[in-house]
Amino acid sequence: MLRRFVALAILALVAASASAATYYVSPSGSDSYTLTQAQSQSTPIKTLSYVVALIQGGNITSGDTVAFQRGQTFYGTLKFTSSIQRISFTAYGDSSAALPVIAGAVAVPSNLWSVHSGSIYKANLTGLLPASTVFSLYFNGVRMHKARWPNAPAGSQEPVFSRFVNSSDAWPGGAWDDYTIDKPSGYFTGSTVKFRSSHYTYGMSEVTHTRNADGSAHFVLTQSYYGGTDPGFGYWIEGPLSELDYAGEWYFDEPTQMVYLWTPASDSPAAHTVEIVIHSSGLTLVGARNLEISNIRFTKFGGNAVDIRNAGGTESQNVTITGCQFDSTDGTGLYIENGRNFIIENNVFKTCEARGLHLAGTCAASRISHNTVSEIGFVRAICQSVNCAIGILLDFATTFDEVSYNHVYTIGYIGIRFDGKNHTIHHNNVHGVTKTLSDGGALYCWGSYSSGSRVTENIVHDAFPNSDTLPPNSGGISHCLYFDDYVNYMYAAKNVLYNCYSSSLYLHDTVAILAEQNVLYNSTQMQVFVFEQFGERSTRDNVVRNNIIISGDPDSDLIVEATIFPNVGTSLFGTYYGNYLCSIYDTLQYENFYNAAGSRQYGNIECNVPESVLFVVDQFLSGNLISPSPSNWTGASTIGGWAKYPPETNLTVTNGQNCPAGCALWTMPTNYADTQPVLMYTTSVISVSAGASYLIDIDMVSSANGSAVALLRDRTNYRNVATGVSVPLRTTRTSRLYGIATALESDANVRLDIETRVSQRQVWVRSVAVKQVTTRPQRLDSIFVNPESSSRSFFLPNGRKYLDPMGNVVTYSVTLQPFSAVVLFDQGFDPSLVGPPQGYSSPSGMPAPNSAGSGTPSMAPQKSVTNAADTRQWTPILVLVAVLVFVGLL
């Protein structure tokens, strides 16, 4: 009986498989064909809307395949409003042809264009639009700017903008003035303002426009927006139609359904391809189960190219997406909200403005691998939140997802953001991030709900921040690997982190991060930064061990700890041991924001740097004291050898709680704005020599928040010879200013300037020193990186000998395992190494990684994507054979 039951059950499955059909879709087809006819490539159906109707109507059912013709474009959207299961969407036709395209843009018929005025043309789109919105316009494949002020070159991604003046950050009613606009009151009312609203966000809002009594323009924002309108932030205005005054601009008037365009060449649009984006999504699924989507391109949408969500209480599960391309969308390339067991492999995400790929809600147990993600978030202010311009994003409630073997590069903000719990982030190649924003990193996670994830064997490099629309001189922030704001119990190992601007590894208010066996190399400001900002003991119990930490820049620190809280007591920020620590300069430069306490370090291997200066310590580096010392003012009633500016500044000697040994009390003028500098400078001459290096070291305490910087200035022409590190001043906390000038161009007589920006308050200067130090490079170094999934050999320059960090001699070549790196120190020319072997090249430094636009990255082997339409016909036969064998065994 059991044998018969099992046999009948399996034969029923065979019958179901045998009835599964493939339905073909082509622009040359017809929706009048029967379902039987549509199973032949010679009589395909035609439209996306008919495909949706057949599936939602139950005509195309579980087990069936919908195949779109390669080399063809399908305009419109596949929008499903109820759950569908076990259906495949794929491609058919010549495998050498381009992927089939589902496009949310349509071409404006050439006969619709007529002259509006001058070089501006117009077309009436009535009857062409499914809704009343035009999201964007492409001219010969290039995205054009909306009519705007100030003007920007056609197709340019670089911002052209004005800046907030006299701005107010209040909401509702964020407001500002602009003295460069000479337009009548109300001219811009109803237009959209787009603006930089923080280091890491853009904002947008409609605006009202009036004129002040002095003739300047006054603006007030009327909608909610993210961030602020701080003075100096950059902004621009889109609309009205009269701002269409520049080649490459366009405008859509919704009431009349009229689109206006001034082409880049000022000629008729009728001779070109003009596409308007009118659909928000290419594929919308709800409650999808056991689906396959392969070998389809989704392009030009106003929202998410593919959008997958729940259907009521039915979550999407077991969806495989392979071999697809997602590009040119204002939203996210692939957005998935809730669900589990998604496989996303071998896809290309490009020119998506919000995110390349986003797992939102409670997505879990999914795999994202072997994808290429590039050029994300370059059209600014389309997306306004902290999660914009990101390559791959795992949201805060996601769990147990895997992100591996992806190539993520040329990204507006963050390469891979992995909030949530228990993810594995491994073997990714991430570089070229924070191109349009700041205060982010190549790999980033945030929040107390982010814990338990493993970050291993990634190649991460070249993160440099964008600050063009921030207030002038505000700088930028960008890290290689960035754990932020209460992230806890993470593991980071065997990563290669190098050439980032702010740091290679940043632990910001983190708990129990273990970082080991990583290579941290040559980031501009520091290699490891551990910072406590949001509360005492918010940074604790971190461990940094057995890493290779190397700086090749005289102004770059190895490890920096900092806190804004005094009396941190026994709080243990971190433990540092077993690390190889090396600056290739005799003197290691380090920066001490405040006195961090409670950390310990031991058993580190040092490369020509005294251990005591590797961390935050109150200790001068060795050198010759050549500046006025604290004794210049101790015991005197007035300050000898010092001057001040402005004259109202009061400079006296005092002692007390903040300076028991005596110091200079520096009182700011009343009603003096903290944006205006106040100077204290030496009247005595300090002689500096060409080719020498000098360290500035000043100990200060402030009674109010502000900032300070020290510099050496030529007494003849007042040119800055050396500028120290600018640091914040904080109430009752020590702030030390460290800075260095290396290899000065010429001899000079200089003065020492201490410049502060703090209003109506006092600053105590407790000690001052300028020291001549040695910063002669000890050894030249190079980093060799293998971002591929197989071993790779690098040939070294002929005749040169190298040492690795452990002191091993390396000659002729070095072989690296997958996703690894080595730093080699050049020991100079060795005649015995000249000559054979033959047949190798001599690279200088690191081999370039795969460049943007070079196609699929050479990393892990690309998994083959089999066309479901080509294999489905064999499934019933194979299953039947298996059944017969199984029944025989029973």
Side-chain angles (χ1 to χ4, degrees), residues 373-396:
V373 185
S374 67
E375 299 177 61
I376 306 299
F378 277 78
V379 179
R380 306 178 192 219
I382 284 182
C383 175
Q384 58 164 351
S385 80
V386 295
N387 285 330
C388 295
I390 296 175
I392 298 173
L393 171 61
L394 308 183
D395 234 335
F396 68 92

Side-chain angles (χ1 to χ4, degrees), residues 608-840:
N608 73 5
V609 180
E611 184 174 7
S612 59
V613 300
L614 294 174
F615 301 91
V616 177
V617 293
D618 282 334
Q619 176 178 326
F620 289 146
L621 304 181
S622 60
N624 300 315
L625 182 66
I626 61 173
S627 75
S629 68
S631 62
N632 279 28
W633 58 60
T634 301
S637 59
T638 59
I639 302 299
W642 290 85
K644 78 274 188 192
Y645 179 85
E648 297 86 357
T649 304
N650 188 23
L651 193 60
T652 59
V653 170
T654 187
N655 55 45
Q657 179 180 359
N658 288 319
C659 46
C663 66
L665 174 59
W666 185 6
T667 306
M668 306 296 114
T670 58
N671 299 319
Y672 205 62
D674 58 5
T675 58
Q676 298 173 280
V678 178
L679 295 179
M680 171 182 172
Y681 56 92
T682 61
T683 57
S684 56
V685 174
I686 302 173
S687 297
V688 295
S689 304
S693 300
Y694 297 89
L695 174 71
I696 305 168
D697 189 331
I698 301 173
D699 185 350
M700 306 175 70
V701 176
S702 172
S703 64
N705 294 341
S707 64
V709 66
L711 51 89
L712 299 179
R713 178 170 288 167
D714 193 303
R715 297 183 65 87
T716 302
N717 56 22
Y718 297 102
R719 178 177 62 89
N720 290 351
V721 174
T723 301
V725 177
S726 178
V727 299
L729 292 176
R730 292 291 183 266
T731 306
T732 68
R733 298 164 193 145
T734 300
S735 298
R736 296 192 72 104
L737 279 64
Y738 292 101
I740 194 162
T742 59
L744 300 182
E745 296 178 359
S746 60
D747 294 350
N749 292 323
V750 301
R751 76 185 195 195
L752 170 64
D753 284 18
I754 307 173
E755 176 184 297
T756 69
R757 296 173 187 266
V758 56
S759 62
Q760 304 182 41
R761 296 294 189 268
Q762 296 176 318
V763 174
W764 291 266
V765 182
R766 303 198 293 195
S767 66
V768 177
V770 176
K771 299 183 178 185
Q772 184 173 348
V773 295
T774 301
T775 59
R776 178 176 56 84
Q778 292 299 291
R779 297 168 294 200
L780 299 176
D781 63 329
S782 298
I783 184 170
F784 295 87
V785 180
N786 179 16
E788 301 179 0
S789 60
S790 58
S791 299
R792 183 177 178 185
S793 295
F794 298 84
F795 291 105
L796 303 175
N798 196 4
R800 302 200 74 84
K801 180 171 71 174
Y802 293 83
L803 293 180
D804 68 15
M806 297 300 105
N808 301 308
V809 176
V810 181
T811 59
Y812 295 118
S813 68
V814 59
T815 299
L816 297 179
Q817 296 303 307
F819 288 86
S820 66
V822 65
V823 178
L824 298 181
F825 297 97
D826 190 346
Q827 300 301 294
F829 181 76
D830 186 338
S832 66
L833 301 177
V834 176
Q838 301 293 324
Y840 64 87

Side-chain angles (χ1 to χ4, degrees), residues 79 491 594 601 676 682:
K79 185 174 183 179
Y491 179 66
Y594 317 102
Q601 50 92 13
Q676 298 173 280
T682 61

